[in-house]
Amino acid sequence: MKIAGSAQRSAWTGKWGFIFATAASAIGLGNLWRFPYLAAKYGGGAFLLVYIILVVTFGYALMMAESALGRKTGLSTIGAFSSFGKKYAIIGILASVVPFIITPYYCLIGAWVTKYMVSYLTEPASVIADPTYFSSFILQNNETFLWLLLFILLVVLVIALGVQKGIERVSKVLVIALFVLAIVITGYSLTLPGAMDGLAYFLIPDFSKFSLNLVVAAMGQMFFSLSLAMGIMVTYGSYFKKSEDLEQSVRYIEVFDTLIAFLAGTMIIPAAFAVSGSADAVSAKAGPSLMFGALPQVFQNLGAAGNVIGFIFFALVFAAALTSAISLFEACVSIIADAFHVTRRRAIVAVTIIIGALGVLVDAGYNGLLNVDLMYSLFGIGNYGDDQLLDFFDFISNTILMPIVSLLTCLFVGYVIKPKTIIDEVEQSSEFKGKKLFVVMTKYIAPVFVVTILVSYVLNTMGIISL
Ligand code: PHE
């Protein structure tokens, strides 16, 4: 698929073309790396429950709105919004900032995954399982920079060669392979002592764990994982044929994406319990390094097979990360190409430099080459705990920008172009079954929800209220 620079707008090869291409973008580190650590951190079952409710209500409405907007206008984000009036371009512009913030740190995690994949070929599983393996790796400056550049290079290579079509085909196999492997690893990790407690923690909601931060985190994760509130779904929708069932496709994407996240949780959280024993220990430790710490311990127990399983697992995560990184990177390229009217080739060069530089910056935060606390204070917020620049980038995009973009999108659909515009677009192909939910969500529930959450979050963080 080409997002930018294609002479004429190509269409997906039918409904499944759209579903798989979108699934390839949606399923990635968000599901495999980010979802499990957030679920572990924010009380397991309670987080899972809130997350699923958000996906089928808010996420569903937003995905319908974005993709239908794209299909209706045949344009990517900024153009789609401004085609209803110049001043609405601002929504598209804000949305366009998001991929530039996410891609650098996304590539860094992709680099860690690449390193682990290769390590399972070159080192015994027991060495990789050592608790210091990860920390000593990310603190080794030079090596991490090389892996980061390697990952970015791979992304650029695929994009420059224009072989995304092949990638789409690969991603079908990938989704199925991920399912199978996740089930196998889950089956094994559940046999470990203590793992059942982890499963219970992940599946049974404990309502005392319910908190404002949990809801904020679940909302950000929903945007991130479904690739929403950053314009990408608008662009993808613009390639969707008028004759295909948009609503059903959106349902499939949500189910695939949520299933993979769910499986990643059942794989990683019980493993983390088996390693560290109690819910408190797990939630205290759960952070961006959860996947890199918990699973290697499981693989180590498998003896010689540990290297094989470890390699296959990280190879799949690598492939999922690569396909998503490609779509993030493509989004950046098309934004630059459209905004500055430059050729696609120039846009690729510019984006490589921007993403590479920001990625190196984020990496430098981990390597201790940068005073992360100073960066935080420059933005007027304190760094509580051991947050890194990566957490900061993640926070700005998922907790601040994406809720704002989603709010504006809902208000735009609910009050400017009116839900009917979207409903008519969807009904060009088939009946819009969830239209009542869609209208209520975009006009009332989602805007009120986002404003309430954002305002109380800010007040809470500033210490004005305490929730
Ligand atoms: N949704 C992807 C994930 O879960 C991340 C992503 C966001 C990819 C936006 C492309 C665009 O990993």
Side-chain angles (χ1 to χ4, degrees):
M1 183 206 48
K2 269 194 182 160
I3 292 182
S6 40
Q8 86 214 42
R9 197 147 280 262
S10 49
W12 303 116
T13 45
K15 184 174 76 191
W16 286 98
F18 173 75
I19 294 174
F20 274 111
T22 314
S25 157
I27 298 173
L29 293 172
N31 311 59
L32 299 163
W33 158 79
R34 201 172 185 274
F35 177 83
Y37 91 70
L38 288 176
K41 185 168 170 186
Y42 293 107
F47 182 87
L48 179 65
L49 183 69
V50 173
Y51 179 75
I52 291 177
I53 292 174
L54 282 173
V55 167
V56 298
T57 55
F58 194 176
Y60 160 78
L62 200 57
M63 200 182 248
M64 288 305 294
E66 290 193 15
S67 51
L69 205 60
R71 189 172 80 168
K72 181 175 173 56
T73 57
L75 297 168
S76 35
T77 334
I78 301 181
F81 283 101
S82 64
S83 69
F84 295 92
K86 273 265 169 296
K87 59 175 181 263
Y88 303 117
I90 182 71
I91 309 177
I93 294 172
L94 267 184
S96 302
V97 176
V98 178
F100 285 93
I101 302 178
I102 293 184
T103 316
Y105 77 83
Y106 203 91
C107 289
L108 182 59
I109 315 287
W112 296 349
V113 171
T114 318
K115 153 81 181 177
Y116 268 62
M117 174 176 78
V118 173
S119 292
Y120 275 101
L121 291 178
T122 57
E123 285 176 88
S126 56
V127 171
I128 305 169
D130 192 285
T132 61
Y133 188 83
F134 182 72
S135 55
S136 61
F137 161 62
I138 54 174
L139 292 173
Q140 262 171 19
N141 314 335
N142 305 337
E143 200 188 324
T144 48
F145 289 122
L146 289 180
W147 290 104
L148 172 67
L149 295 181
L150 177 72
F151 189 83
I152 294 179
L153 219 68
L154 286 172
V155 172
V156 177
L157 204 69
V158 175
I159 290 182
L161 292 176
V163 289
Q164 280 101 309
K165 274 247 155 23
I167 295 272
E168 262 164 52
R169 250 170 264 139
V170 171
S171 65
K172 294 182 199 176
V173 180
L174 180 74
V175 172
I176 295 163
L178 265 175
F179 269 116
V180 175
L181 192 76
I183 290 169
V184 172
I185 296 177
T186 304
Y188 179 76
S189 76
L190 288 181
T191 64
L192 300 172
M196 279 300 165
D197 292 340
L199 189 67
Y201 175 79
F202 180 51
L203 295 184
I204 304 170
D206 170 356
F207 290 99
S208 68
K209 294 271 172 18
F210 199 83
S211 70
L212 177 66
N213 284 349
L214 179 154
V215 180
V216 172
M219 182 171 70
Q221 173 63 15
M222 182 268 288
F223 297 138
F224 188 95
S225 191
L226 293 173
S227 310
L228 292 173
M230 55 182 107
I232 287 181
M233 284 310 301
V234 179
T235 309
Y236 275 42
S238 73
Y239 297 100
F240 199 58
K241 287 202 190 112
K242 295 276 186 197
S243 55
E244 305 280 1
D245 189 335
L246 196 57
E247 187 180 25
Q248 194 192 31
S249 308
V250 164
R251 290 269 185 234
Y252 272 117
I253 294 159
E254 288 197 329
V255 169
F256 286 160
D257 192 71
T258 307
L259 260 179
I260 296 276
F262 178 80
L263 283 173
T266 49
M267 182 163 59
I268 292 172
I269 295 175
F273 267 69
V275 176
S276 33
S278 74
D280 290 343
V282 170
S283 62
K285 265 192 3 200
S289 65
L290 186 66
M291 179 172 87
F292 301 95
L295 284 178
Q297 302 260 355
V298 177
F299 301 150
Q300 176 195 22
N301 287 325
L302 294 168
N307 272 78
V308 179
I309 299 282
F311 172 74
I312 298 176
F313 174 78
F314 279 102
L316 287 176
V317 181
F318 168 76
L322 192 68
T323 54
S324 296
I326 288 166
S327 108
L328 275 164
F329 205 93
E330 265 285 359
C332 298
V333 170
S334 69
I335 290 162
I336 294 285
D338 288 351
F340 299 99
H341 305 291
V342 292
T343 59
R344 201 178 139 73
R345 186 182 294 246
R346 289 209 171 155
I348 293 178
V349 173
V351 171
T352 308
I353 293 171
I354 298 170
I355 299 301
L358 287 174
V360 164
L361 194 72
V362 174
D363 194 1
Y366 271 100
N367 287 318
L369 296 179
L370 205 75
N371 186 340
V372 177
D373 290 336
L374 183 72
M375 298 292 292
Y376 272 76
S377 59
L378 281 182
F379 285 89
I381 44 176
N383 180 11
Y384 307 104
D386 54 0
D387 279 359
Q388 293 290 343
L389 214 51
L390 185 147
D391 306 86
F392 179 66
F393 273 50
D394 190 273
F395 167 80
I396 293 287
S397 55
N398 298 292
T399 311
I400 306 290
L401 273 175
M402 286 153 111
I404 292 175
V405 171
S406 74
L407 172 67
L408 294 177
T409 307
C410 287
L411 294 177
F412 176 74
V413 168
Y415 300 95
V416 179
I417 62 169
K418 305 278 166 14
K420 186 162 182 320
T421 312
I422 299 292
I423 293 170
D424 288 348
E425 174 59 37
V426 175
E427 296 206 325
Q428 291 220 4
S429 41
S430 41
E431 191 199 339
F432 190 168
K433 298 199 189 74
K435 68 178 156 211
K436 285 216 180 76
L437 174 68
F438 175 77
V439 174
V440 177
M441 282 311 300
T442 46
K443 283 188 89 150
Y444 311 109
I445 303 185
V448 171
F449 177 76
V450 174
V451 170
T452 314
I453 292 292
L454 268 186
V455 169
S456 40
Y457 186 78
V458 170
L459 293 180
N460 197 30
T461 311
M462 291 166 65
I464 296 173
I465 54 169
S466 111
L467 285 168

